[in-house]
Amino acid sequence: MVAIILVNWNGADDTIACLESLSRVEESHFVVIADNASTDDSVERIQIWLDQHSDNTNVRQYQLLPLDANYGFAVGNNKALAVAMQRNPDYCMLLNNDTEVEPDFLSRLLNFADGNPHCKVLSPCIRYYADKNRVWFCGGQLTYVSRKGLYTNAEVGSVPKEPFPVSYLSGCALFFHPSVLNECKELLYNGFFFGEEDYEFALRMKKQGVEMMCIPQSIVYHKVGASQKKTNDSRGLGRSYMYYHNRLICVRLHCSSFKFHLIRLLTCANCLRYFKAYTGSWQVSWKLIHQLVKDTTIKDGFGYADFKSLMFDGDYFFFDTVK
């Protein structure tokens, strides 16, 4: 049996569409839907859908888990995973709620996993929902300074037909054996409210020598950007800052001090021109770099308060980021 984990926050339309597609999946599975204290009617609508489809053998196995606060992506997934693990699944999978799947996507993953038990973590081929012949993510590789996706934005015809090794996977659709869970029986690092959890996971798997593969015959469609539309980050500066911030903390957690300082130097040099494009000011960009260095020296994560301040309230920085 496979446990599939979804996290919902004010996204009932996407979640229900995802559940509709999962209800047609061929392989036996169950789903735990963690609701991150939605402020709309998500919980009621999802529960109504579950009740209305309870005659479906698959849906009968689905469970809605309303949480008492918005815990973000990592903790939300970990809390749902803790509930799922009570049923001792053979495999587990994280799946974004803004995805839809092909009916055979799970059987493709299971067939490979059962025949290759040394490969503990797998990724499907994730395509754009709006352009189903184009790749959004099909596995990736860790580089010295970061990570890069393979076949990103490529036509699906250019993707290999057979499974191939990768060292980086997206948390959007991540299939894994329970043996890769940490000592707390969690998959993701709880220090990040949102962003770069999958990079930290990849660095951790590399340390442990865990083999990972992409299974291109398994297909998932992603409605890219659904979560960002719910924030006040119209320029994208907050999201960019948060991702670089979290990425550098990942490096600090898993690499030597020398490598961390070198990568931070290179990253800041790269960020300077990005920040200039967002703000229109070299002076503001230098201030952002200064804060990035300070934050990644003293912080071990980016929690809800930081996320809210950066992505909603707009008061994270002590200076004006508009030229």
Side-chain angles (χ1 to χ4, degrees):
M1 182 74 82
V2 179
I4 298 177
I5 307 300
L6 303 183
V7 174
N8 176 80
W9 183 72
N10 293 347
D13 287 341
D14 286 332
T15 298
I16 289 171
C18 182
L19 293 172
E20 288 273 9
S21 71
L22 287 171
S23 72
R24 297 186 287 271
V25 166
E26 299 164 354
E27 288 287 341
S28 178
H29 65 281
F30 67 95
V31 180
V32 179
I33 310 121
D35 182 82
N36 257 330
S38 290
T39 56
D40 62 6
D41 59 353
S42 284
V43 170
E44 292 80 6
R45 290 181 58 199
I46 293 169
Q47 188 59 60
I48 288 171
W49 185 91
L50 294 174
D51 293 340
Q52 290 175 341
H53 294 77
S54 60
D55 57 337
N56 181 300
T57 304
N58 282 338
V59 177
R60 207 175 298 139
Q61 300 277 346
Y62 296 2
Q63 177 180 355
L64 178 58
L65 177 67
L67 300 176
D68 60 352
N70 185 354
Y71 290 100
F73 184 78
V75 177
N77 273 292
N78 285 336
K79 284 183 175 293
L81 184 59
V83 171
M85 288 302 296
Q86 294 173 12
R87 297 177 60 175
N88 297 313
D90 300 303
Y91 299 97
C92 303
M93 183 168 196
L94 304 189
L95 189 65
N96 269 23
N97 73 313
D98 61 347
T99 60
E100 296 185 25
V101 302
E102 288 288 350
D104 65 348
F105 98 106
L106 194 56
S107 62
R108 300 280 190 173
L109 294 168
L110 276 170
N111 288 341
F112 183 87
D114 289 342
N116 299 271
H118 57 287
C119 295
K120 303 294 186 184
V121 185
L122 307 177
S123 171
C125 177
I126 309 173
R127 303 181 185 182
Y128 286 98
Y129 180 82
D131 185 357
K132 294 182 171 60
N133 289 314
R134 190 169 296 278
V135 174
W136 179 74
F137 185 84
C138 201
Q141 298 290 349
L142 293 174
T143 66
Y144 183 81
V145 297
S146 183
R147 75 285 194 278
K148 64 177 182 178
L150 302 175
Y151 308 103
T152 300
N153 294 322
E155 295 289 336
V156 296
S158 65
V159 177
K161 300 293 188 269
E162 298 300 319
F164 55 90
V166 295
S167 57
Y168 169 69
L169 300 176
S170 170
C172 172
L174 198 162
F175 179 96
F176 60 95
H177 189 273
S179 62
V180 304
L181 298 177
N182 64 22
E183 60 276 7
C184 299
K185 299 300 179 184
E186 296 172 336
L187 185 77
L188 300 177
Y189 176 61
N190 283 331
F192 299 145
F193 183 82
F194 184 79
E196 296 299 273
E197 304 91 347
D198 40 20
Y199 181 45
E200 189 281 331
F201 174 77
L203 291 173
R204 189 165 14 110
M205 293 300 99
K206 181 181 179 182
K207 267 187 177 181
Q208 297 174 13
V210 174
E211 292 189 46
M212 306 195 291
M213 299 285 287
C214 178
I215 314 302
Q217 305 95 330
S218 174
I219 299 169
V220 170
Y221 304 107
H222 185 206
K223 301 168 187 175
V224 179
S227 59
Q228 188 175 6
K229 294 173 185 176
K230 302 171 188 174
T231 72
N232 295 330
D233 184 38
S234 58
R235 289 185 296 162
L237 174 62
R239 187 180 182 93
S240 180
Y241 182 89
M242 178 176 61
Y243 270 69
Y244 281 114
H245 174 283
N246 290 355
R247 195 174 304 175
L248 287 172
I249 288 179
C250 290
V251 175
R252 201 187 79 215
L253 290 173
H254 291 285
C255 300
S256 68
S257 176
F258 172 79
K259 184 173 182 179
F260 164 64
H261 284 93
L262 176 60
I263 290 177
R264 186 166 65 176
L265 177 64
L266 296 172
T267 299
C268 286
N270 194 46
C271 284
L272 188 61
R273 59 190 179 91
Y274 282 117
F275 292 160
K276 168 63 165 59
Y278 287 119
T279 65
S281 166
W282 287 113
Q283 183 179 13
V284 173
S285 299
W286 276 112
K287 290 181 179 179
L288 287 165
I289 292 296
H290 181 267
Q291 182 149 354
L292 182 63
V293 170
K294 178 182 177 182
D295 284 352
T296 55
T297 299
I298 64 176
K299 291 185 177 181
D300 289 327
F302 201 87
Y304 174 70
D306 287 333
F307 180 84
K308 183 174 181 292
S309 176
L310 182 66
M311 303 295 283
F312 287 94
D313 300 337
D315 58 1
Y316 181 82
F317 302 110
F318 60 88
F319 49 86
D320 189 356
T321 61
V322 179
K323 183 179 177 182

